[in-house]
Amino acid sequence: MPIFSDIQETELSGTKEVFLSAIRYATSTGDSFPRFEDDLRTSAQEQVEFMLEDDEKIPLVIADDELKVETRIVVSKIFSSFENELFSLILEPDIAIKDMEKKIMRSLSDLEWMHNTLLRMDLMKDFVSHWANISSNLLKVIEDKRLDSVMWNLKIKLIEVTSKVLEAVGYGTVVLPAESRVELLKTWLPYIRKMKSLSDEMSTTEAAFPYKMSDDLCQCVEGAIVSLVSALPSNDQADILADWISAEQVKYPDLSEAFEIWCYRTKSAQRRLDEALTESAVPMPLPLSPST
């Protein structure tokens, strides 16, 4: 039994090293090797996916605390690299936009792949937290006036990744405090609304315009937002719904279902409050005196 235990521990250790190395190769965050060509990166990603699906030892491996720590370091590096690359668009005026866009899109593709990997490793909260933390900075860059008429592919891709975050939070895969959920919504809702309108307008005026929010993406985003809004405290729901109603692009996302839920809950709460106040206002009968 001790020999068998040692063999098993050695096998698990080897599997863990292979898995972690594959993640590093797949996202090009290793310090001891240069960036790999796309075909090698793809091979590394396929290796990770294969191990997650078919390796019988992988449940024990991904439960390892050391592996989780190392994976979180990889995730942090990817996010940091992506944010720095994005900021270079406005901090370095002489940079070649097309070349930089290709580099940024590759990093964003890494993030999207990492999202799927972390979901299987039960580390999705790390991805959501990182994305929420950099969201304001991302929008500060992508909405810069110098990028108004370029990088449409990146602008739509950001919404695709954001939809995965909204789904994770909206459907309860990741639990965040109410204030964090409100901040996430208030940060991305105006941008999503604006991009939906602009992409529809561009596709109408330019028949060959390829960068439009697909119907599936629109439905995913809308469903996640409705679920997210419906689970917020009543006052926060009221703020977001009031902003939605007053917006010019009230058609998308359609939050009428969330609005109906809020109205029903508000009326029910008001009715319960009125009943409680009525009951408290009814005078209590006086106790009978001993003589009677």
Side-chain angles (χ1 to χ4, degrees), residues 4-55:
F4 177 77
S5 178
D6 290 342
I7 293 174
Q8 188 178 42
E9 185 176 344
T10 301
E11 289 179 348
L12 288 177
S13 178
T15 302
K16 182 174 72 173
E17 289 301 322
V18 170
F19 183 78
L20 191 55
S21 295
I23 286 182
R24 287 171 177 156
Y25 277 86
T27 55
S28 302
T29 59
D31 296 327
S32 58
F33 42 82
R35 281 190 175 274
F36 290 85
E37 296 297 330
D38 288 343
D39 55 345
L40 295 180
R41 290 156 52 82
T42 301
S43 296
Q45 291 177 359
E46 289 175 351
Q47 175 65 30
V48 172
E49 292 166 5
F50 171 79
M51 293 181 74
L52 286 171
E53 291 178 1
D54 298 326
D55 195 319

Side-chain angles (χ1 to χ4, degrees), residues 52-158:
L52 286 171
E53 291 178 1
D54 298 326
D55 195 319
E56 60 183 13
K57 295 185 290 293
I58 207 65
L60 294 175
V61 170
I62 62 178
D64 182 80
D65 290 337
E66 183 182 354
L67 179 79
K68 290 182 178 180
V69 170
E70 293 296 327
T71 303
R72 288 186 174 109
I73 292 173
V74 171
V75 173
S76 181
K77 286 184 176 182
I78 301 173
F79 272 97
S80 178
S81 174
F82 172 64
E83 190 175 13
N84 291 336
E85 290 169 357
L86 201 61
F87 264 108
S88 66
L89 292 172
I90 59 175
L91 296 178
E92 302 176 25
D94 297 330
I95 197 170
I97 292 292
K98 285 192 174 181
D99 292 341
M100 198 63 210
E101 181 179 15
K102 183 179 179 180
K103 189 176 181 181
I104 293 171
M105 287 297 295
R106 184 168 65 174
S107 294
L108 192 54
S109 177
D110 285 347
L111 282 174
E112 190 172 28
W113 175 82
M114 202 68 200
H115 159 272
N116 298 329
T117 303
L118 294 177
L119 189 59
R120 297 179 184 182
M121 296 177 66
D122 198 24
L123 292 174
M124 188 58 190
K125 188 170 184 178
D126 293 86
F127 186 95
V128 170
S129 298
H130 277 293
W131 190 259
N133 289 338
I134 69 171
S135 288
S136 296
N137 288 338
L138 297 187
L139 295 182
K140 187 184 298 182
V141 173
I142 207 65
E143 294 190 293
D144 189 278
K145 292 182 179 180
R146 285 168 285 186
L147 304 179
D148 274 351
S149 58
V150 295
M151 306 192 88
W152 288 98
N153 190 22
L154 175 60
K155 293 173 181 177
I156 298 299
K157 194 66 176 178
L158 285 174

Side-chain angles (χ1 to χ4, degrees), residues 188-201:
W188 283 101
L189 187 54
Y191 175 77
I192 292 171
R193 185 187 296 135
K194 182 180 75 171
M195 286 305 303
K196 168 64 174 171
S197 175
L198 286 175
S199 63
D200 286 350
E201 182 182 339

Side-chain angles (χ1 to χ4, degrees), residues 234 237-238 241 257-267:
S234 182
Q237 288 185 46
L241 292 171
E257 181 182 346
F259 181 69
E260 290 173 3
I261 293 173
W262 176 79
C263 289
Y264 173 79
R265 289 174 178 171
T266 303
K267 290 178 180 178

